[in-house]
Amino acid sequence: MKKINFKRFKLRQVTVNDLNDRLLLINLYITQALTLIIGIIWLIFQRRNPLSLLSWPEGIEFLYWGVGLSVLVLAADLLAGRFVPEEAMNDGGINDMLFKKRPLWHILIIAAVVSICEELLFRGAIQHTLGPYWTSILFAVIHVRYLKHWIPTGLVFAISYGMGYIYIQAGTLWAPIITHFIVDFVLGLIIRYRRDS
């Protein structure tokens, strides 16, 4: 059996210039798979059924919560884009690279995968343990590409806290999943179809 030489592996910081489209997508889907796995394991340790969290609710009230919050988030993002300098909102070009040349169907898939995986972990599992405040701090921290700028970090925290709130109010994980999906999908479309100045 061949031995693996771990000394050959070196960790280094990767910038957006080091990434190509394939590597970015691999990274995205691996991190979402890990998020889903961690969420399921966390729920099992809590003795909660992940499938029951994802069961479709009876009424449609959760849609009002999910769509309502997504409208507020998109309005806040558009206002921030208009009044906040671009360098203060910079994510290092990751969102542009992820969505700029992506076909519509793939933006839809990315938004669906990210919203389900992240909400299952953060709202479904972590919030049950830590509550919405600490869950939102953790959610903002894992969006590491925004941490160099306080405005997007604050927006991510506020959005996360809002999703935690509507999860409690609606009583179903589908409310924050819908918010997360709509926000990611619409912002992905804006990046995809905007004209560069």
Side-chain angles (χ1 to χ4, degrees):
M1 186 166 144
K2 188 176 179 183
K3 290 186 178 183
I4 298 173
N5 184 359
F6 287 103
K7 291 179 183 178
R8 288 181 37 220
F9 293 102
K10 294 184 180 174
L11 293 177
R12 66 180 179 90
Q13 184 176 1
V14 177
T15 66
V16 72
N17 298 330
D18 298 328
L19 291 173
N20 60 32
D21 191 56
R22 182 175 178 270
L23 187 58
L24 180 65
L25 286 177
I26 289 170
N27 185 20
L28 171 76
Y29 287 119
I30 286 175
T31 56
Q32 292 308 307
L34 288 172
T35 300
L36 182 64
I37 291 166
I38 292 167
I40 290 170
I41 291 170
W42 196 312
L43 287 167
I44 290 169
F45 277 113
Q46 291 174 337
R47 300 183 191 281
R48 297 168 66 219
N49 183 349
L51 294 178
S52 68
L53 273 179
L54 292 173
S55 64
W56 196 254
E58 297 266 332
I60 61 166
E61 184 179 291
F62 74 98
L63 286 173
Y64 302 134
W65 287 105
V67 173
L69 181 59
S70 63
V71 168
L72 289 174
V73 168
L74 291 168
D77 189 74
L78 291 173
L79 283 172
R82 183 161 178 94
F83 295 109
V84 176
E86 190 175 325
E87 60 272 3
M89 298 291 287
N90 188 0
D91 74 336
I94 297 293
N95 286 340
D96 278 347
M97 189 175 186
L98 185 60
F99 294 116
K100 189 66 180 159
K101 296 179 182 172
R102 198 77 47 217
L104 177 66
W105 65 267
H106 202 171
I107 295 172
L108 185 87
I109 289 172
I110 290 170
V113 167
V114 169
S115 62
I116 291 170
C117 293
E118 290 185 5
E119 293 310 311
L120 185 72
L121 174 62
F122 285 94
R123 254 47 68 187
I126 296 175
Q127 183 168 310
H128 186 76
T129 303
L130 302 179
Y133 178 77
W134 290 106
T135 300
S136 298
I137 288 177
L138 188 59
F139 190 78
V141 167
I142 67 131
H143 287 79
V144 68
R145 66 186 187 269
Y146 298 118
L147 290 178
K148 290 183 181 178
H149 306 288
W150 68 270
I151 294 174
T153 301
L155 284 172
V156 169
F157 172 83
I159 292 164
S160 176
Y161 195 82
M163 289 192 292
Y165 177 79
I166 67 168
Y167 174 46
I168 293 167
Q169 296 303 312
T172 176
L173 197 57
W174 285 103
I177 287 173
I178 286 170
T179 297
H180 203 145
F181 171 78
I182 291 171
V183 168
D184 285 0
F185 183 64
V186 170
L187 292 178
L189 291 180
I190 289 170
I191 291 169
R192 171 67 176 90
Y193 292 106
R194 79 170 170 228
R195 293 192 179 125
D196 293 326
S197 53

